[in-house]
Amino acid sequence: MLTLSKDHIKNKIADTQLIFYRGLNTYQHGSYFLSQKDLVQKSFTYEFDGTLGNYTTLIHMKENQVETRCNCPYPRNGCRHVVAASLNVCDLLARKEIPELFQDPAEPYLIRAEIKAQALADRKKRALSEPFTPGRGDM
């Protein structure tokens, strides 16, 4: 059984070392959305907001290989989107609480007014606890 790891992604999936680091950067910034997942089949679909439009990336784990597809204009396999998605899949499969991760939350989502009130309360708290130091600059 194949184990997806950062080294495997870097050496086997990424087209080049540069593409791996671009994908790592995309992954670290969270510039993607996990749109579909099937944990039993180990199949994941990601959406990326690319420079020329939206791209869809598919990652499917099989016994001894990882199948990847991306509809971005990169001319070869192993684009940065595939790298970023593979790194996220690696993290998802490494977590022990995967079933809890995808369950519906027990509490309902906050409404717009509640989000705004919470953000204002957080800003007031930070304003009282963090020092304010004016600096010289252009007026």
Side-chain angles (χ1 to χ4, degrees), residues 10-129:
K10 184 177 184 178
N11 298 319
K12 301 289 183 180
I13 294 177
D15 186 39
T16 64
Q17 296 297 312
L18 177 62
I19 294 296
F20 173 77
Y21 288 108
R22 287 182 180 168
L24 181 62
N25 188 33
T26 300
Y27 165 70
Q28 290 171 339
H29 285 87
S31 307
Y32 54 87
F33 172 70
L34 176 60
S35 60
Q36 293 179 350
K37 66 216 162 279
D38 184 346
L39 296 172
V40 175
Q41 298 292 324
K42 293 185 180 177
S43 179
F44 305 87
T45 303
Y46 290 84
E47 302 295 329
F48 289 86
D49 184 23
T51 52
L52 300 176
N54 294 331
Y55 309 131
T56 301
T57 303
L58 306 169
I59 307 292
H60 181 72
M61 303 272 305
K62 290 191 172 184
E63 279 295 316
N64 296 318
Q65 65 181 8
V66 179
E67 287 184 2
T68 62
R69 278 194 316 242
C70 185
N71 65 353
C72 74
Y74 188 73
R76 293 183 295 274
N77 294 329
C79 68
R80 70 184 181 106
H81 308 110
V82 166
V83 170
S86 297
L87 288 167
N88 186 251
V89 167
C90 182
D91 281 352
L92 289 175
L93 294 176
R95 292 184 186 166
K96 294 178 183 172
E97 65 274 4
I98 287 176
E100 294 146 17
L101 180 68
F102 296 114
Q103 290 178 356
D104 290 332
E107 298 181 20
Y109 295 107
L110 298 176
I111 62 171
R112 186 180 189 105
E114 292 172 325
I115 294 170
K116 184 177 179 181
Q118 185 177 355
L120 288 173
D122 290 344
R123 288 181 186 179
K124 286 179 185 177
K125 182 180 176 184
R126 282 184 41 214
L128 294 172
S129 65

